[in-house]
Structures are given as structure tokens and as C-alpha cells.
Amino acid sequence: MTTAPHPAADGIWEHLRLMPGALADGSELAADTEAAIVVTEGQIRWIGASATLPAGFSALPRFDGGSALVTPGLVDCHTHLVYGGQRANEFAMRLAGASYEEISRAGGGIVSSVRATRAADEDELFAQAAPRLEQLLADGVCAIEIKSGYGLALEHERKQLRVARRLGEHYGVTVRTTFLGAHALPPEYTGRSQDYIDLVCREMLPALAAEGLVDAVDVFCERIAFSLTETEQVFQAAQRLGLPVKLHAEQLSDMGGAALAARYGALSCDHIEHLSADGIAAMRASGTVAVLLPGAYYTLRDTHLPPIDALREAGVPMAVSTDHNPGTSPALSLLLMANMACTLFRLTVPEALAGITRHAARALGLQDTHGALGVGRPANFVLWRLHDSAELAYWLGQQAPRTIVRQGRVALDGLQIVPNARITS
């Protein structure tokens, strides 16, 4: 599988309208102000009202945005994108009345994806993950997290993380890899949970970190997964290696995982439907991001809403992600998740858009480079065929990007660059 190299985005991008909240410094342009962005060497060198464009940039090529709405590149901060097979049969089982826990205990769930992932080699996993990533990129995603956790053995966790790295290099997209070796207990360790956690902490994580394959460490802390004590052991191992932590927290019950994660300065706590007041207070104090995953909530037909009002009142930043995975959130549109965060969780449109840009970037530790537009940042932005930013969370199933600039290069979506270097529709 090969892709043609994208042309450089260097030049003046003009005739633009900035989404409210797009600028990293918190400033705003008036709604009727025409904006411009200057890109050189893959970075934003200037951004502001077109009328104030410095004369020193006048010789650069010009790209006509055609009054497009401009947003930062979207950030999908929680995915399990690399795995073997699929689990449509479990979708049918749930519709017939089986619970998430019943499916797991019957040998389905995560363990079924483990079998398929272990059976596939790296090239097969890459070939399966690539079209999934392509759909997310077409939605405007410019940075994405990809977790391991379907290998549950060193060689297979390594395989997943290597594929994640390959995807980033091949598609020219920022990929943050997260080691999720403590995702489920592998069949060969049935009844020996502590032995497996020892393996994760003493062998798997150190080896993968030494190979440069790990950007962060995650744990599934839940009744059907790992206890608080086991979770803390993994966090301590990550801490010794200087790696940040994240947590699948309070999805099915209140385990107190969020408060534990906050004590370790976690980047994020994700799912959090059963998050307590103590957990919220701890996350607020540590600056930990709450990652909302409406796709899993919807697929599991959950009825226990995350404590949105309490998070809002506490000022805890809320990110929104696809949680793409084969069992509980086979979602391939971050914009659809923004809509669902509004309709199911009652986020406002500005909250949802911040959730798929600046707060999602913060959940990955990328707040200085992604999720907002500013001088010195990599050029990651999207031009949309939309009149109002609310349309980003309004439409269902419409892919509206006009042009995507990712890592300083132009990824075109149905457009062509004409000889005078102006983009036309």
C-alpha cells in the first residue's frame, strides 16, 4: 500500500473564517473578519486578520480558501485502532440480551480480539487498520492516539505498537502510542492476575519503552479487568520509566480509579460514567482531562450518564473521542462523536468542538502543538464547506472537509491545486 506524497502547504492561506476558540492564545477575531494563515517549512508563521498581514510575506504563494471555515486539525485522543478481526457477532448478542460482562465471561469481548490479533502478522494488522485510519483522516483528524492491548504478550503488544508507528509514518499523521498491556487477563494467565501484572511491569513495559514504542501507559481498571492495587503497580512501573499514565476509569462501576490516576498526574481518565465527586475533585487538582466516549455509551445502550454538570462546574476539561474498537465502539467519525456528545451527554457545541480539538490534544500531552492554531505550531488545520461552526456537530454522516493541512502538507479531499497555487472548489 503506497500513497503519493502530499504537496507542501507553504504559503499564504487567505479568505478564511476562523472558528471561535481556534486560536491558541485565546484571542478572537470578529465574526466578519477575513483571516489569513502563513505557513513556511511546515509551521504556522503568522495568523490573524488579512488586513494586517505583514508585507514581508507578500512574495509567498497564495491559497484561496474561498471563505471556508477554518478549525484546528481534529484530535482523536482514545482509539484501539490496531486489531485483528471484528466482533459484529457480539453486537447481535447484545441485541439479544447479553450484557458486556456476560459476553466477556463467555470468552468473547477483548479476549476474542486477542485471538485474532495474535493470529495476524504486522502486515495483516497494518492492512486492516489502514482503511479505518483513512476514514478518520478524511473526517479532519490530524492527531490520533492508538493503544495496544489486544496482544497481551510481549511479541504481540510489540506488533501492535509497531503497526501504530508505521501508520503515522505512512500517512503523515501524528500518532501517540499507548501501552495497554493491562487491558484484560490473557487466557494463559487465568486465575493468575498478579503474575500477569508482574509480567507487564517487569518485562513488557520496560522492553517496549526501551524500543521507543510507548508514549503513555493505560490500564483498564474495572471488576472484569484489573483492581486498584494492580493498576497502581502499573502506574509505578510507568513512573519509574518517566512515562505519563492514563486510565479506563469508572466505566461500569465506581472503582475509585480516577482519584488514583489523578494522584499519578494522569493525562486523562476515560469513560467515567460512574465518576464520583471525589474523583472529579482529584482530577481538577491534577489537571487531568475527562475523556467522554459516547460511542461506547451508545453501543452498550448505557443509561448512566457521565456527571457532565459536575465536571463543568469543577472546570475539568472534557475531551471527546471515538474510542474506536471492535467490540463496544466501532465508530469511524469523530464528528459523529461530537454530535453524540451534544445529544446524549448535553454538551454545548463550543464544549464539543473544544473536546475534539484543544482538550483532546491536552489528553495526549500535545497541547503545545495540536488542537489550536498559533505561531510556531505545526500546520494542522482544516478548511470546511460550512457556514457556521455549529454545523460540525449538527450534520449526521456528512464529511465536509474542503481541504486538510496535516503536518505542514496539503491532504486534498476532492480538490486540485491549479498552477497559480490557488485552491479552488
Side-chain angles (χ1 to χ4, degrees):
M1 183 183 299
T2 59
T3 56
H6 297 308
D10 289 6
I12 301 169
W13 294 75
E14 56 187 354
H15 306 143
L16 307 175
R17 295 175 295 117
L18 290 184
M19 178 189 81
L23 294 175
D25 64 6
S27 63
E28 297 284 355
L29 296 183
D32 59 350
T33 299
E34 184 177 278
I37 301 172
V38 176
V39 178
T40 63
E41 297 181 339
Q43 288 192 327
I44 296 175
R45 300 301 180 184
W46 185 89
I47 184 168
S50 296
T52 64
L53 179 69
F57 295 121
S58 59
L60 292 174
R62 292 177 181 262
F63 299 86
D64 185 354
S67 296
L69 176 72
V70 178
T71 71
L74 307 187
V75 179
D76 198 353
C77 63
H78 181 131
T79 85
H80 307 253
L81 197 72
V82 176
Y83 56 85
Q86 46 79 20
R87 282 153 55 190
N89 62 313
E90 294 178 17
F91 175 72
M93 289 174 65
R94 279 194 300 273
L95 293 178
S99 71
Y100 183 86
E101 292 182 343
E102 287 169 343
I103 291 171
S104 178
R105 293 193 180 105
I110 293 168
V111 174
S112 66
S113 289
V114 171
R115 289 193 295 269
T117 301
R118 288 180 172 183
D121 63 24
E122 283 189 29
D123 289 340
E124 290 170 323
L125 290 175
F126 183 94
Q128 291 182 56
R132 298 191 283 259
L133 178 59
E134 288 170 4
Q135 288 196 53
L136 291 168
L137 297 181
D139 223 28
V141 169
C142 291
I144 185 169
E145 184 225 35
I146 301 177
K147 301 179 189 291
S148 66
Y150 290 127
L152 307 187
L154 178 56
E155 63 178 306
H156 300 298
E157 291 286 299
R158 176 186 288 119
K159 183 170 60 177
Q160 282 191 274
L161 294 168
R162 283 172 56 87
V163 170
R165 289 280 194 241
R166 281 178 59 188
L167 289 166
E169 293 167 2
H170 184 85
Y171 286 97
V173 60
T174 301
V175 170
R176 299 294 282 180
T177 56
T178 297
F179 172 65
L180 183 56
H183 194 194
L185 195 62
E188 63 270 23
Y189 278 86
T190 299
R192 297 189 295 132
S193 181
Q194 185 58 57
D195 288 345
Y196 180 65
I197 289 296
D198 289 343
L199 178 71
V200 166
C201 295
R202 298 173 185 175
E203 297 184 30
M204 293 168 65
L205 177 53
L208 296 171
E211 294 169 27
L213 294 174
V214 181
D215 296 320
V217 178
D218 195 356
V219 179
F220 186 18
C221 181
E222 194 53 75
R223 293 189 307 261
I224 60 172
F226 297 98
S227 69
L228 279 175
T229 298
E230 292 164 336
T231 297
E232 185 163 22
Q233 290 172 8
V234 178
F235 284 177
Q236 289 170 344
Q239 189 176 64
R240 288 192 293 271
L241 293 167
L243 294 169
V245 299
K246 306 164 70 70
L247 190 66
H248 282 62
E250 273 70 280
Q251 180 184 9
L252 306 175
S253 61
D254 180 11
M255 295 276 290
L260 171 66
R263 291 204 302 273
Y264 283 83
L267 291 171
S268 70
C269 290
D270 305 28
H271 288 290
I272 51 111
E273 282 85 351
H274 295 263
L275 182 64
S276 68
D278 288 344
I280 292 173
M283 290 173 65
R284 176 183 180 180
S286 64
T288 298
V289 177
V291 177
L292 306 174
L293 304 174
Y297 180 91
Y298 171 83
T299 301
L300 293 172
R301 297 189 292 177
D302 201 348
T303 58
H304 197 292
L305 287 165
I308 301 299
D309 287 341
L311 288 165
R312 184 183 289 133
E313 183 177 351
V316 174
M318 293 180 284
V320 175
S321 181
T322 62
D323 185 23
H324 177 83
N325 74 81
T328 61
S329 188
L332 288 169
S333 170
L334 189 54
L335 293 179
L336 178 58
M337 296 303 102
N339 172 277
M340 291 171 69
C342 293
T343 56
L344 296 178
F345 295 165
R346 301 296 188 266
L347 263 62
T348 66
V349 167
E351 286 173 336
L353 298 184
I356 59 175
T357 53
R358 64 172 65 240
H359 294 330
R362 183 173 173 180
L364 297 181
L366 294 175
Q367 63 269 23
D368 293 333
T369 56
H370 291 70
L373 304 176
V375 174
R377 288 171 171 250
N380 289 293
F381 55 86
V382 186
L383 280 60
W384 305 87
R385 300 185 186 94
L386 301 172
H387 295 290
D388 190 291
S389 59
E391 292 184 72
L392 290 165
Y394 165 73
W395 293 107
L396 298 176
Q398 175 179 329
Q399 286 191 341
R402 176 172 179 169
T403 304
I404 300 168
V405 173
R406 192 170 62 241
Q407 290 189 346
R409 308 198 73 83
V410 182
L412 294 175
D413 185 14
L415 303 177
Q416 293 182 347
I417 292 185
V418 294
N420 64 356
R422 298 174 72 89
I423 286 185
T424 58
S425 58

